[in-house]
Amino acid sequence: TDSDTADEAVRATCDDATTCKRFATSKGYWKDPYIQYFTRSPGERKAPEINRGYYARVQGVNHLLNTFIKKANCDCQVINLGAGLDTTFWRLKDENSLPRKFFEVDFPTVVARKIHNIKTKPPLSKPIIETHSTDSLLLDAHSLDSDRYCIIGADLRDVSNLDEKLKKFQLNPELPTLFLSECVLVYMTPSQSSNLVHWAAETFHTAMFINYQQVNMSDRFGQVMIENLQRRNCSLAGVETCQSLDSQTEWFLKTGWEHADALDMMTIYSLLPQEDIARIEKLEFLDEKELLQQLLQHYSICWATKDKLKLGLSQLTF
Ligand code: SAM
């Protein structure tokens, strides 16, 4: 059916993210020794502005995620929604800053692929086994559950099913919980993503939601970005939530969050540690500075918080 084709096109987007991240790390933008295990080949060359865009995205999201985990003293959970082939669990393990439990959710077929990679690549499976206390580990085609890492196949548009599955795998509503969605909500209709974001706000008393997605899509550059995605049959069902930074923060406040902030990626890029920016700007020559600016102005990070335990989440920023 049409909707199966559309879902398939959305599922394929996780390979784009992975090949772009792998290429950028091969150029030295940041280190990720695990991403190679999730892509077949190094992939074709990507333009310098794409690499810098991914650098800003990864560093921006990591900054907020690391700060949350620090504020919670690792006594927290992370739930990566539409995680694709993301490698954050392995990074946190290496940095000794794993939360109590790290959950990932994606479509069952994407999860099956990820589990296959984990099962067949010791550098991926070792950290999971090392952090697990018993001999038995739940592992089937569409889910893997260990003490510290859990990956679940589910459709994020069906919130009650998601809630049920997460609880089955010992999700603890009393723990500070970080939600992460990177280029995910935009593929759902506004009412579907509202349900999800609202469920997150009402299920946890102390939580943070980090959402990376497109913004300022009504100008000419934004229209071209939409057309490019549509050409690949990816309907941006949620594109109306990408109007402006204000519309994103308002949307979180309307769906049950207490505090929300949003910045476009150009601003975040200018707030990242300047030594590292100086380092990465030397990696590749970029003659189209304006194109990079345009690109970064059309992506944003919005983060929303609820803070009953008074961890100081609302002060979290760059
Ligand atoms: N967050 C990852 C990253 O940044 O590397 C992957 C991003 S990829 C662009 C979008 C991911 O969201 C895909 O893996 C896709 O399968 C997943 N996704 C989109 N809609 C979903 C849904 N309704 N249920 C579960 N996963 C979904």
Side-chain angles (χ1 to χ4, degrees):
T1 68
D2 282 357
S3 87
D4 287 341
T5 318
D7 283 356
E8 190 46 47
V10 169
R11 284 191 282 270
T13 61
C14 72
D15 289 312
D16 297 341
T18 311
T19 52
C20 289
K21 286 176 184 173
R22 179 163 182 189
F23 186 79
T25 56
S26 77
K27 286 276 168 197
Y29 281 86
W30 72 95
K31 290 201 177 80
D32 185 340
Y34 299 101
I35 195 118
Q36 56 179 313
Y37 303 116
F38 290 112
T39 51
R40 268 186 216 104
S41 61
E44 55 196 86
R45 207 187 150 270
K46 303 286 187 295
E49 55 274 7
I50 302 289
N51 299 331
R52 287 196 196 177
Y54 269 91
Y55 168 84
R57 162 174 169 180
V58 170
Q59 302 305 312
V61 169
N62 283 353
H63 167 76
L64 292 175
L65 179 114
N66 293 347
T67 316
F68 176 91
I69 292 176
K70 219 172 268 162
K71 288 216 185 255
N73 246 318
C74 295
D75 207 9
C76 61
Q77 304 166 122
V78 174
I79 306 178
N80 190 345
L81 302 167
L85 305 171
D86 185 79
T87 56
T88 304
F89 167 79
W90 290 270
R91 174 178 72 81
L92 294 176
K93 162 77 169 65
D94 283 348
E95 293 173 359
N96 247 320
S97 45
L98 270 187
R100 276 225 230 155
K101 196 159 180 175
F102 193 99
F103 295 87
E104 295 185 344
V105 183
D106 208 298
F107 281 121
T109 50
V110 175
V111 164
R113 277 180 53 201
K114 192 163 190 174
I115 290 178
H116 176 77
N117 285 319
I118 294 172
K119 274 205 279 196
T120 53
K121 314 262 163 62
L124 296 178
S125 54
K126 229 178 117 226
I128 296 173
I129 296 163
E130 271 174 22
T131 52
H132 189 68
S133 56
T134 64
D135 291 340
S136 59
L137 187 139
L138 186 142
L139 181 64
D140 60 40
H142 297 122
S143 46
L144 182 168
D145 184 43
S146 71
D147 288 357
R148 309 298 285 276
Y149 178 70
C150 174
I151 172 167
I152 300 170
D155 189 331
L156 298 169
R157 294 167 295 194
D158 183 349
V159 174
S160 55
N161 178 258
L162 176 71
D163 181 70
E164 200 179 292
K165 285 191 169 154
L166 285 165
K167 288 194 175 130
K168 189 175 130 200
F169 293 119
Q170 283 81 50
L171 177 82
N172 180 353
E174 296 304 315
L175 275 183
T177 299
L178 177 72
F179 287 89
L180 187 60
S181 62
E182 266 185 76
C183 291
V184 174
L185 300 186
V186 75
Y187 298 111
M188 305 192 255
T189 67
S191 82
Q192 288 163 344
S193 53
S194 290
N195 282 343
L196 179 64
V197 169
H198 182 250
W199 163 82
E202 72 176 6
T203 308
F204 301 89
H205 53 69
T206 303
M208 173 157 158
F209 201 117
I210 303 174
N211 183 41
Y212 173 90
Q213 70 173 31
Q214 290 88 344
V215 73
N216 301 325
M217 295 303 267
S218 23
D219 67 11
R220 181 72 204 120
F221 193 91
Q223 290 307 307
V224 174
M225 285 169 63
I226 295 172
E227 283 159 23
N228 283 337
L229 275 153
Q230 281 168 344
R231 209 166 294 139
R232 304 178 42 200
N233 294 318
C234 276
S235 79
L236 284 179
V239 75
E240 54 192 275
T241 63
C242 303
Q243 268 160 10
S244 67
L245 295 173
D246 283 345
S247 69
Q248 296 193 3
T249 51
E250 275 162 30
W251 183 70
F252 272 96
L253 296 174
K254 262 198 328 238
T255 47
W257 293 80
E258 285 164 7
H259 183 94
D261 278 303
L263 292 172
D264 72 59
M265 294 311 292
M266 191 61 223
T267 309
I268 291 179
Y269 188 78
S270 72
L271 295 171
L272 289 173
Q274 288 307 298
E275 285 164 29
D276 207 43
I277 296 287
R279 178 187 66 81
I280 67 118
E281 288 190 343
K282 284 191 220 114
L283 292 175
E284 289 184 288
F285 179 69
L286 181 84
D287 53 359
E288 283 264 22
K289 289 253 158 56
E290 241 163 74
L291 184 55
L292 175 70
Q293 269 190 10
Q294 288 259 33
L295 195 66
L296 292 179
Q297 279 161 358
H298 286 82
Y299 285 94
S300 64
I301 299 180
C302 179
W303 64 99
T305 58
K306 277 187 72 173
D307 198 3
K308 189 177 156 212
L309 294 178
K310 300 216 182 332
L311 300 177
L313 299 181
S314 69
Q315 290 130 42
L316 234 148
T317 188
F318 284 87

